[in-house]
Amino acid sequence: MLKVVQAYDRALIAEIETDDAGALERKLEAAVRVFADRTGWLQPHERIAILRRLAGLMEARRDHLALQIAREGGKPLPDAIVETTRAIDGVHNAADELRNLVGREIPMGLSAASEGRWAFTTKEPVGVVAAISAFNHPLNLIVHQVAPAIAAGCPVIVKPAITTPLSCLDFVAMAHEAGLPGAWCQTFITDDNQLAEKLATDPRIAFLSFIGSAKVGWALRSKAAPGTRVALEHGGAASAIVDRSADIAKIIEPIVKGGFYHAGQVCVSTQRIFVHADIAEDFTQRLVARVESLRTADPVLHDTEVGPLILPREAERVSEWTREAVSGGARLATGGERLSETTLRPAVLLDPADDAKISTQEVFGPVVAVYRYDRLDEAIARANSLPTAFQASIFAQDIDVAMHAANHFDASAVMINDPTAFRTDWMPFAGRKQSGYGTGGIPFTLRDMTHEKMILMHKG
């Protein structure tokens, strides 16, 4: 049995059964069987109807889903409500995208050999999908991995994070209630890493979607069976540059939100803030004042702004990284204290060493680091210096500065006067270098879960 506890106070929420190797084999066989029967494939209109009903069921249970996110994952309730709203919209988005999932005509008659022929392409589901998910968005990440599979017509087996399985179980149960036959979407609950790897690397898997640790994700890609498509979503130490032309009064709030949303447990959390020396003092004072006013408390309360980390060991790790930075010369401007097993007071570090963990690795906790710079290209070079790259921000009123940074950041997306953590669920979302592989976002995942098949007709 797997014990699911509240992230905040470690109180027991539920005990659920785990799956063993036999269960995995039965689920793989069921998924392969329904996919092999092409006459039984769900038609696009049937998939659209299921997704619409699923969104309706989620809407009716919005309060339950949001509270569950707050309890098992520790996300503050106001943000959990936003996640639930996004998840519902994401299911609609997957249904909407089926109207745009089209093939194309391949021109014939361009050579003598191709005369008298007509060719076009159509879309087919790629096959069985294995989705391994993360804890930090326990409902919306599941939607990003599973809803496109349903839309594409792929059977999917989804393994949620062992700390946050309840949102996934609810979502899959609602999918079945909405009319999706059981074998087309199955959960796999395990705390056995070897079994999870067996799912990911089984030769019957056509598409692997993995969200989580870069070390694990890249290892799984190297072991995936030949022909398996792989999508990896990891993280990085996201950078924001604050130019001297920035309107400081307007940017503190988005920067704080970008750094401390879900206690910094987001793959594109703002972690490294490079501030022009001319405004560094003013910016730092305002940033520290706002961070000190953040309410760190039980995530189920409506006024909580920062909740817990997912596990006690993660709180200890973040504390250790903060202590290391200070011992290496950084100044702790505020925060860092351990408030409970899993909660830390949000921290701001000033000018950590370039080789400190906080400067080089993803902290995944409620800590931001501020660095002064004199030249824009110096700040960009430091931002681009890591083996990870995801989203980045430039805060500036000077359009030349903003566009120079946007063009020179090594990033998959650059936000101008918005935090690094900004995301809509229909936009492309992708890590570069060690931060990921492939492109996420519901429309992009849906397309990756399909094959393009050409059909050629000889009219003679």
Side-chain angles (χ1 to χ4, degrees):
M1 298 293 285
L2 178 66
K3 293 184 177 181
V4 184
V5 301
Q6 294 189 148
Y8 179 69
D9 59 9
R10 317 300 293 160
L12 183 67
I13 303 173
E15 293 187 70
I16 59 176
E17 291 187 8
T18 56
D19 292 308
D20 58 15
L24 174 58
E25 181 59 28
R26 289 191 296 273
K27 293 180 181 194
L28 282 166
E29 287 179 352
V32 169
R33 185 169 56 251
V34 294
F35 187 72
D37 178 16
R38 289 184 170 235
T39 60
W41 284 6
L42 297 169
Q43 294 301 305
H45 70 89
E46 295 176 296
R47 288 177 254 148
I48 290 172
I50 288 168
L51 289 165
R52 298 292 188 212
R53 288 193 293 269
L54 172 56
L57 291 169
M58 295 170 70
E59 180 70 48
R61 298 168 196 177
R62 179 192 298 267
D63 292 345
H64 161 76
L65 291 169
L67 184 60
Q68 186 155 269
I69 291 167
R71 294 183 70 200
E72 67 174 344
K75 181 175 289 183
L77 187 57
D79 295 326
I81 292 170
V82 171
E83 178 178 339
T84 305
T85 300
R86 284 179 58 187
I88 294 166
D89 184 66
V91 174
H92 281 302
N93 187 191
D96 292 341
E97 283 300 317
L98 276 172
R99 299 185 183 277
N100 304 315
L101 194 68
V102 296
R104 57 200 172 98
E105 184 176 356
I106 306 299
M108 292 288 129
L110 302 181
S111 66
S114 64
E115 284 184 14
R117 290 166 175 83
W118 176 50
F120 62 93
T121 66
T122 186
K123 298 286 190 177
E124 285 191 345
V126 70
V128 179
V129 171
I132 298 179
S133 205
F135 76 86
N136 52 336
H137 306 285
L139 178 61
N140 203 36
L141 289 181
I142 298 296
V143 167
H144 272 259
Q145 295 171 291
V146 174
I150 296 172
C154 294
V156 56
I157 300 172
V158 55
K159 189 199 97 59
I162 59 170
T163 49
T164 56
L166 302 180
S167 295
C168 176
L169 289 169
D170 279 355
F171 176 80
V172 173
M174 284 185 286
H176 295 158
E177 187 179 344
L180 185 68
W184 287 92
C185 184
Q186 303 174 84
T187 59
F188 182 60
I189 308 296
T190 184
D191 56 1
D192 185 327
N193 291 336
Q194 289 186 328
L195 275 183
E197 180 177 315
K198 185 174 175 59
L199 166 64
T201 59
D202 190 282
R204 291 167 288 186
I205 295 299
F207 189 101
L208 168 63
S209 170
F210 178 87
I211 303 174
S213 154
K215 180 180 178 181
V216 175
W218 288 107
L220 290 178
R221 178 175 177 263
S222 73
K223 297 175 183 178
T228 301
R229 294 184 182 180
V230 178
L232 306 177
E233 186 180 309
H234 305 315
S239 296
I241 293 177
V242 182
D243 181 59
R244 58 185 165 188
S245 69
D247 186 336
I248 298 179
K250 291 182 178 179
I251 69 172
I252 294 297
E253 198 60 34
I255 287 177
V256 169
K257 189 67 175 178
F260 297 100
Y261 169 69
H262 198 9
Q265 297 170 114
V266 181
C267 59
V268 287
S269 285
T270 304
Q271 181 172 324
R272 299 179 297 154
I273 307 170
F274 298 94
V275 184
H276 196 285
D278 288 356
I279 61 167
E281 200 64 39
D282 186 16
F283 172 86
T284 301
Q285 288 178 4
R286 294 182 188 225
L287 174 68
V288 169
R290 178 64 183 102
V291 171
E292 288 180 340
S293 73
L294 290 171
R295 176 171 165 76
T296 304
D298 190 332
V300 303
L301 303 176
H302 284 273
D303 60 349
T304 295
E305 294 176 284
V306 179
L309 294 173
I310 191 65
L311 291 168
R313 70 169 181 263
E314 289 301 301
E316 179 53 40
R317 178 189 58 79
V318 175
S319 295
E320 175 56 35
W321 285 23
T322 303
R323 291 191 294 269
E324 179 211 63
V326 172
S327 67
R331 182 162 71 88
L332 182 61
T334 190
E337 306 98 292
R338 189 86 172 259
L339 301 178
S340 73
E341 270 194 289
T342 54
T343 52
L344 297 171
R345 194 175 301 283
V348 177
L349 288 164
L350 304 182
D351 292 309
D354 286 342
D355 62 352
K357 288 188 178 70
I358 194 71
S359 299
T360 59
Q361 300 179 39
E362 183 181 29
V363 66
F364 226 58
V367 184
V368 298
V370 179
Y371 311 80
R372 294 176 182 240
Y373 74 89
D374 294 305
R375 295 182 304 105
L376 179 60
D377 284 338
E378 169 204 342
I380 293 171
R382 294 173 74 184
N384 290 345
S385 65
L386 301 183
T388 54
F390 216 136
Q391 298 192 165
S393 292
I394 173 69
F395 291 88
Q397 294 299 302
D398 185 327
I399 187 64
D400 290 335
V401 168
M403 292 310 299
H404 181 84
N407 288 327
H408 288 82
F409 264 127
D410 185 1
S412 60
V414 178
M415 313 302 166
I416 298 176
N417 296 323
D418 250 330
T420 61
F422 178 83
R423 184 183 186 184
T424 64
D425 300 295
W426 56 88
M427 76 186 209
F429 191 71
R432 288 186 177 181
K433 299 193 284 191
Q434 294 180 16
S435 290
Y437 186 78
T439 301
I442 287 168
F444 303 90
T445 300
L446 172 56
R447 282 161 178 74
D448 285 347
M449 288 180 176
T450 62
H451 283 304
E452 192 168 38
K453 174 190 277 186
M454 192 185 78
I455 298 173
L456 185 142
M457 180 185 297
H458 189 180
K459 294 185 285 189

